[in-house]
Amino acid sequence: MIHYSLLIKSKNWNVRKKKVGKIIYKIIKQKEKFNFKKNIDYYCNIILMNDSLIKKYNKIYKKINKSTDILTFVSDIQKKDNKKEKYCDIMFSAETIAKDAEQNKINFYDHFAHMVIHTLLHVTGHKHKKNKDFLLMQKKEIQILKKLNIANPY
């Protein structure tokens, strides 16, 4: 089961909230493509913020003193009844996503969808340190984006 909440911590997201909410819902509906484990309940806080706030979290938790597009924190919990849970805080910065979208000449919402898909693949255990893993992850991203009628960003 996948549970998620949408939290807005910046006025930069207010006008985007409705559309962003729809995008996240459509992505979550594609859950079979992510390989979410059936025996794990996922609880995701999707936190929409600005550059200055995400920079603070990046400095505290990653020791990097600059803003970024996404920060993801995942905790695994083993319950007494052997049930597993994952708690995820996924933070997005509107300014960095907008800047990256503009730089790459793509729509803000298409880029946001790509970032959500990318980070949810990480939540489900995908990595891209090795080239073969990167290519597998890229293929999954493209498949999910295609289901959402979003062009291949690569």
Side-chain angles (χ1 to χ4, degrees):
M1 179 71 71
I2 305 160
H3 311 273
Y4 71 93
S5 59
L6 188 60
L7 307 162
I8 297 179
K9 298 291 183 182
S10 167
K11 63 182 178 175
N12 296 336
W13 289 97
N14 290 339
V15 297
R16 297 176 170 128
K17 179 183 178 183
K18 188 174 181 178
K19 190 158 186 172
V20 163
K22 286 180 182 180
I23 290 167
I24 293 166
Y25 177 76
K26 286 179 182 179
I27 291 169
I28 297 291
K29 281 180 63 175
Q30 302 297 317
K31 63 185 173 193
E32 72 283 347
K33 300 268 191 241
F34 290 93
N35 299 325
F36 284 100
K37 305 279 187 288
K38 289 182 176 28
N39 64 332
I40 298 176
D41 284 336
Y42 294 82
Y43 297 90
C44 298
N45 292 315
I46 298 170
I47 308 160
L48 307 175
M49 55 181 55
N50 58 29
D51 272 355
S52 65
L53 191 52
I54 206 166
K55 180 180 177 181
K56 287 179 189 177
Y57 284 101
N58 204 17
K59 184 176 181 182
I60 292 168
Y61 295 105
K62 304 286 184 175
K63 308 297 186 231
I64 301 170
N65 190 22
K66 67 177 190 173
S67 62
T68 186
D69 50 1
I70 308 167
L71 284 175
T72 305
F73 302 95
V74 180
S75 298
D76 295 316
I77 306 293
Q78 180 74 45
K79 308 262 304 200
K80 289 181 182 176
D81 60 359
N82 282 338
K83 183 80 172 162
K84 294 180 182 176
E85 297 177 340
K86 278 191 185 274
Y87 289 86
C88 313
D89 288 323
I90 305 167
M91 303 170 185
F92 294 91
S93 172
E95 291 103 329
T96 301
I97 292 172
K99 182 178 63 178
D100 292 347
E102 185 178 326
Q103 211 168 28
N104 294 310
K105 296 176 177 49
I106 56 176
N107 175 282
F108 174 90
Y109 295 104
D110 290 354
H111 187 53
F112 175 76
H114 183 201
M115 297 296 93
V116 172
I117 292 164
H118 184 87
T119 200
L120 287 177
L121 285 169
H122 280 305
V123 165
T124 58
H126 293 82
K127 297 183 182 354
H128 51 72
K129 289 187 180 182
K130 296 178 184 171
N131 193 50
K132 71 175 187 155
D133 296 332
F134 171 78
L135 294 173
L136 176 66
M137 201 168 165
Q138 185 182 56
K139 182 179 177 184
K140 285 185 172 278
E141 289 172 8
I142 293 166
Q143 288 172 343
I144 298 165
L145 288 165
K146 186 176 181 180
K147 287 276 191 186
L148 301 172
N149 295 316
I150 297 173
N152 180 343
Y154 294 103

